[in-house]
Amino acid sequence: MTRTNEITRDSALSTVTRYLATIADATSSDQIASLYVEGATVEDPVGSAALCGKDAIAHFFKPLIESRRETELLNFRHSGNSVAFHFLVRTYTADGVVEIEPFDVMTLDGDGLITSTKAYWSPEDVRMSRGADDSSEKI
């Protein structure tokens, strides 16, 4: 079934792939914000105050840019102009490696830009491994 204004699965997957690559490789938070339309919203995690607009989104991602990151797409679903995906973010800090596997739900426009993001995760989902022993703990 095709609905009006629906984006294709390939286009949606391309946007998610670009988003994850940018999260991993960006050298500026503005690069991440550029993936969003002006006026886009981000609720990360769901239940926190929603951010609105590219400036707020760039400010939100700024601390992430200070560390080396890796991302991996674990699962992906598409319907209409929305996507839901499960992914891994691994962030390397001076204290160790932080891992989280959020589930994000995004709406997209016809140009492949993000109009909204809701990230589903909680502090209990964050894992930290310290040092060479590679043991991990929830933080």
Side-chain angles (χ1 to χ4, degrees):
M1 174 170 116
T2 303
R3 295 174 279 224
T4 307
N5 299 326
E6 181 176 298
I7 61 171
T8 66
R9 182 183 193 286
D10 288 345
S11 177
L13 182 57
S14 176
T15 296
V16 169
T17 301
R18 186 172 59 250
Y19 172 78
L20 293 178
T22 304
I23 292 292
D25 300 332
T27 57
S28 129
S29 60
D30 290 331
Q31 291 172 289
I32 299 169
S34 74
L35 301 174
Y36 288 83
V37 299
E38 191 53 58
T41 59
V42 171
E43 193 176 344
D44 188 350
V46 168
S48 63
L51 306 169
C52 185
K54 287 185 176 188
D55 289 343
I57 293 167
H59 181 46
F60 172 77
F61 282 109
K62 191 168 182 137
L64 185 68
I65 298 304
E66 298 170 5
S67 300
R68 184 169 69 91
R69 296 137 347 256
E70 297 172 352
T71 59
E72 178 184 350
L73 181 61
L74 303 173
N75 211 325
F76 171 84
R77 295 291 185 271
H78 160 254
S79 182
N81 67 344
S82 297
V83 294
F85 58 101
H86 177 209
F87 64 105
L88 168 68
V89 177
R90 184 174 293 122
T91 305
Y92 296 85
T93 71
D95 296 326
V97 181
V98 179
E99 292 185 338
I100 185 167
E101 294 182 20
F103 290 82
D104 277 13
V105 175
M106 292 179 169
T107 56
L108 311 173
D109 74 2
D111 295 322
L113 294 175
I114 304 163
T115 60
S116 70
T117 299
K118 288 189 172 194
Y120 292 84
W121 66 276
S122 66
E124 294 82 16
D125 299 319
V126 179
R127 295 181 307 275
M128 174 96 170
S129 57
R130 305 178 198 273
D133 68 1
D134 208 18
S135 63
S136 60
E137 61 185 72
K138 292 192 178 206
I139 58 171

